[in-house]
Each structure stands twice: as C-alpha cells, then as structure tokens.
Amino acid sequence: MVQTIHNPDKYEEDILQIKKISNEMVNDCMQCGKCTAGCPAVAEMDILPHQILRHLQLGHFDKVIQSKTIWNCASCFTCASRCPRGVDLAKLMEAIRLISLRRKGNDRLKVENISQLMTDEKMPQQAIVSALRKYSK
C-alpha cells in the first residue's frame, strides 16, 4: 500500500486561488466517483476526475497542474450534473487551466492575438475561449 503524504501548506495559495476563481469548495467532494463514471473524456485522462479532486484536497497541486487531464476536460458539465454534493468540477478545471496559463505569462488575452494563438497546436482551444471570456472585457 502506498502512503500518501498530506501537505496542505505547500500549495495552499494555489488551492485558495482555485477556490477564488471557481467559487467551488474542493472539500465538498466525498469521492463517490460519479463524475468519473459519467465523463465522456475519461479515456484520454491520466488522472481521473474524482482523483483530481482528491489531489486538490490533499494539497497535491503540482500533480494536478502537470496532468493532461486539465487540458482534456471537455467542460461538458456532465460531472457537475451527476455530483450529489454539487461540486462543479468543470469550473475547477477551468480555474486550474487559467492558473497554468497565468504562470506561463499569458494572463491577458487580446482579441487581435487570437489568430496567432490558434496556430499553436499545443494551446488548447478551451483555454483560449476561457481566457477570452474572462479577459476581453
């Protein structure tokens, strides 16, 4: 059995930032797995949706932000509709993607730069749409 070390202080600021952006409470998740069971994109994920929430609960933000799961989330809100505790994982994923983009220095998106970003095959389209929605006003 692998022992998981609980380290809430190391990434406490990142977890608080996720809560601030998404307005979701990570600790409300009771790990029932309904989000994972209903997720249409789960086959492409390296960390399952309910595991993302568990990593955030344990303060393992580094594992979450390095995963491909945050970029493979389709933001279809199936997870939110299935959650018995009302945790909207799609909002959390969007917040994590936004934090990742901000760390890379891309925290502001201008409409005139969208065509250039669309040529970058590594830039996920949902991140562009999300950033445009938040920062074009």
Side-chain angles (χ1 to χ4, degrees):
M1 179 182 220
V2 177
Q3 186 177 19
T4 304
I5 298 171
H6 179 67
N7 189 0
D9 299 330
K10 186 174 181 184
Y11 295 102
E12 184 177 0
E13 189 174 316
D14 293 316
I15 303 297
L16 290 174
Q17 187 69 15
I18 291 170
K19 289 178 184 177
K20 181 179 176 184
I21 293 170
S22 68
N23 201 27
E24 292 294 316
M25 296 302 296
V26 174
N27 290 329
D28 285 351
C29 175
M30 62 182 183
Q31 294 293 298
C32 68
K34 287 186 177 187
C35 54
T36 299
C39 180
V42 77
E44 300 299 319
M45 295 180 174
D46 54 346
I47 301 175
L48 300 176
H50 74 281
Q51 292 172 334
I52 290 286
L53 283 162
R54 187 64 179 154
H55 282 303
L56 292 174
Q57 288 172 341
L58 293 173
H60 300 161
F61 185 72
D62 55 336
K63 289 182 181 180
V64 172
I65 202 159
Q66 293 170 5
S67 74
K68 4 182 256 190
T69 298
I70 63 172
W71 303 111
N72 289 335
C73 172
S75 296
C76 65
F77 301 104
T78 301
C79 52
S81 67
R82 294 179 58 101
C83 182
R85 300 292 298 269
V87 178
D88 192 339
L89 184 57
K91 281 185 179 179
L92 288 166
M93 294 286 203
E94 185 175 331
I96 296 165
R97 287 191 296 259
L98 187 58
I99 289 170
S100 176
L101 290 173
R102 285 179 178 175
R103 284 186 174 178
K104 293 177 183 177
N106 299 329
D107 65 341
R108 298 292 185 258
L109 183 65
K110 296 178 181 159
V111 176
E112 56 269 11
N113 296 340
I114 291 178
S115 60
Q116 178 185 357
L117 289 173
M118 294 302 284
T119 60
D120 182 2
E121 292 180 15
K122 293 181 181 179
M123 179 64 74
Q125 292 181 357
Q126 67 263 31
I128 295 171
V129 171
S130 172
L132 182 63
R133 187 172 52 233
K134 288 181 191 274
Y135 294 111
S136 65
K137 296 177 184 177

